Amino acid sequence: MATDYYAVLGVPRDASQDQIKKAFRRLARELHPDVNPDPKTQERFKEINAAYEVLSDPQKKQVYDLGGDPMSGAGGGGAGGFGAGFGNFSDIMDAFFGTASQRGPRSRTRRGQDAMIRLDVELSEAAFGTTKDIQVDTAVVCTTCSGEGAAPGTSAQTCDMCRGRGEVSQVTRSFLGQVMTSRPCPQCQGFGTVVPTPCPECAGDGRIRSRRTLTVKIPAGVDNGTRIQLAGEGEVGPGGGPAGDLYVEIHEVPHPVFQRRGDDMHCTVTIPMTAAALGTKVPLETLDGLEEVDIRPGTQSGQSIPLHQRGVTHLRGGGRGDLIVHVEVTTPSKLDPEQEELLRRLAKLRGEERPTGEFKPGQQGLFSRLKDAFNGR
């Protein structure tokens, strides 16, 4: 046996057809004359082409494995030529571009594209979940032609240029022999059929634009950027093909009082220094209704008070986040004479030796009078 085709492709004798094809593609990318014009490389390219011609054909491979001449008899193209080895030109195209070339007519029916819209929701809706009606402008199946693309009473016809194959072939000669190339039919664009009378409603596309109303369920706990997938509610494909998916992206509208951080919510309450010193209860309208925030005596500005389970519902798992109330203590900027006198007496009663804020006898009553003075009583 003059040539070891397995050695030429660098594969074992028990190699599968997939291994043979991969080896051929790899070598074709390296040795193709357009990539490497060296004469020695061109001879090597002829060898791998001849080897692939034999080993990729089950009948020729069987003759070769039994010691016969696979290129003799009918259908033999000669091992030295380009001939039948490049009859399947898609293998060479696949070697260079990574995908097989189009074979046969392509379908007019294809899957539609996905679509996405943005939906504004309030904080309470994001926290507890809701349902909303949305309007979507997408492509739907043409009701006039039912997606066929042809006018009523007509139908698609076989292309007379490619005879329904969807591609046309051309044979050219080169120094390596004859090369057959295929390309999509220019008359039918590769479909294999033509539509002589397109549908007047969709112009042959099989789909039209339409506005629809959909009801979307918003789960509790969604956040900015959360996407809800509605399968099959996107664009209908050309030729009335299956629809893509619709994605609803959540945009949470800023709340005038609460700021969300994850599943926790934060807010700030402002109290006078007398209320911070003596303690008080501040009414606060939460997502769950009116509640009272307990301000303990001696509360400092910047201190946080958590209200557990008053935040946003966890999207995955049970429970809720917390509502964190930040206390801001205000200091009066203008004092009348009575208020100023009271503060001076308070400072004198406290003394520098007692900076911890503990009351001395008589201070509690002074604080009450000071509070009344600030409140105009």
Side-chain angles (χ1 to χ4, degrees):
M1 190 175 298
T3 305
D4 186 348
Y5 290 143
Y6 292 100
V8 170
L9 294 181
V11 296
R13 298 190 69 83
D14 59 350
S16 64
Q17 285 295 319
D18 186 58
Q19 291 175 306
I20 293 172
K21 193 170 187 178
K22 288 181 178 179
F24 170 71
R25 292 175 182 174
R26 175 177 56 82
L27 293 171
R29 285 195 295 265
E30 298 175 0
L31 304 174
H32 193 277
D34 291 342
V35 177
N36 196 333
D38 183 75
K40 293 182 179 180
T41 302
Q42 295 176 13
E43 290 299 324
R44 172 79 172 128
F45 185 68
K46 292 180 182 180
E47 292 178 3
I48 67 165
N49 182 59
Y52 182 68
E53 177 186 352
V54 173
L55 299 183
S56 63
D57 187 319
Q59 294 181 347
K60 292 181 180 180
K61 182 176 181 295
Q62 183 179 18
V63 173
Y64 175 76
D65 289 340
L66 293 175
D69 182 4
M71 307 308 296
S72 62
F82 218 173
F86 262 124
N88 187 0
F89 191 68
S90 63
D91 288 323
I92 291 296
M93 298 300 292
D94 196 5
F96 282 99
F97 301 107
T99 56
S101 60
Q102 175 69 37
R103 298 184 185 180
R106 59 191 180 100
S107 175
R108 291 184 179 273
T109 302
R110 300 192 301 277
R111 182 183 184 274
Q113 294 182 345
D114 295 337
M116 186 177 70
I117 64 172
R118 193 176 80 163
L119 179 63
D120 293 338
V121 298
E122 301 292 337
L123 176 59
S124 59
E125 295 172 330
F128 303 124
T130 186
T131 57
K132 279 183 170 290
D133 290 336
I134 59 174
Q135 289 188 331
V136 185
D137 290 322
T138 57
V140 298
V141 175
C142 177
T143 55
T144 302
C145 66
S146 301
E148 296 294 330
T154 67
S155 61
Q157 299 179 2
T158 302
C159 176
D160 57 8
M161 176 175 287
C162 66
R163 300 184 183 277
R165 294 191 304 271
E167 58 183 14
V168 293
S169 301
Q170 181 180 7
V171 178
T172 58
R173 299 186 62 85
S174 71
F175 63 92
L176 294 175
Q178 291 184 342
V179 179
M180 179 182 295
T181 59
S182 298
R183 59 187 177 88
C185 175
Q187 180 167 292
C188 65
Q189 286 77 50
F191 293 117
T193 59
V194 293
V195 181
T197 310
C199 171
E201 183 69 21
C202 65
D205 190 43
R207 54 183 182 170
I208 56 175
R209 305 293 300 184
S210 177
R211 174 168 292 185
R212 298 176 293 147
T213 299
L214 301 175
T215 300
V216 183
K217 182 179 180 180
I218 310 298
V222 294
D223 202 350
N224 264 325
T226 300
R227 291 185 179 181
I228 301 171
Q229 181 181 10
L230 302 179
E233 297 293 350
E235 299 275 348
V236 166
D245 299 334
L246 174 65
Y247 291 88
V248 179
E249 185 175 84
I250 299 299
H251 175 256
E252 189 177 292
V253 178
H255 194 274
V257 176
F258 303 114
Q259 297 81 44
R260 179 176 175 179
R261 300 174 191 171
D263 289 339
D264 292 335
M265 298 190 309
H266 296 254
C267 70
T268 300
V269 294
T270 303
I271 60 175
M273 69 177 191
T274 51
L278 299 174
T280 187
K281 292 185 180 295
V282 177
L284 178 64
E285 188 69 39
T286 70
L287 298 183
D288 298 273
L290 185 65
E291 297 197 21
E292 288 188 337
V293 181
D294 186 16
I295 307 296
R296 296 183 179 180
T299 297
Q300 302 297 305
S301 186
Q303 189 170 334
S304 299
I305 302 173
L307 299 182
H308 299 294
Q309 296 292 313
R310 291 295 184 268
V312 177
T313 304
H314 299 313
L315 183 60
R316 295 175 178 84
R320 295 170 59 182
D322 299 332
L323 172 58
I324 312 299
V325 180
H326 301 272
V327 179
E328 182 181 86
V329 179
T330 60
T331 302
S333 57
K334 294 182 179 181
L335 300 174
D336 59 31
E338 182 183 2
Q339 293 172 341
E340 185 176 352
E341 176 60 26
L342 288 171
L343 283 177
R344 291 185 184 277
R345 292 177 59 189
L346 175 62
K348 184 177 180 180
L349 287 172
R350 286 175 58 87
E352 294 295 331
E353 74 281 2
R354 300 293 295 275
T356 59
E358 298 178 0
F359 291 122
K360 291 181 179 180
Q363 282 185 320
Q364 181 68 46
L366 180 59
F367 262 117
S368 298
R369 291 167 57 196
L370 183 60
K371 179 180 181 182
D372 292 341
F374 282 161
N375 293 331
R377 297 178 183 173

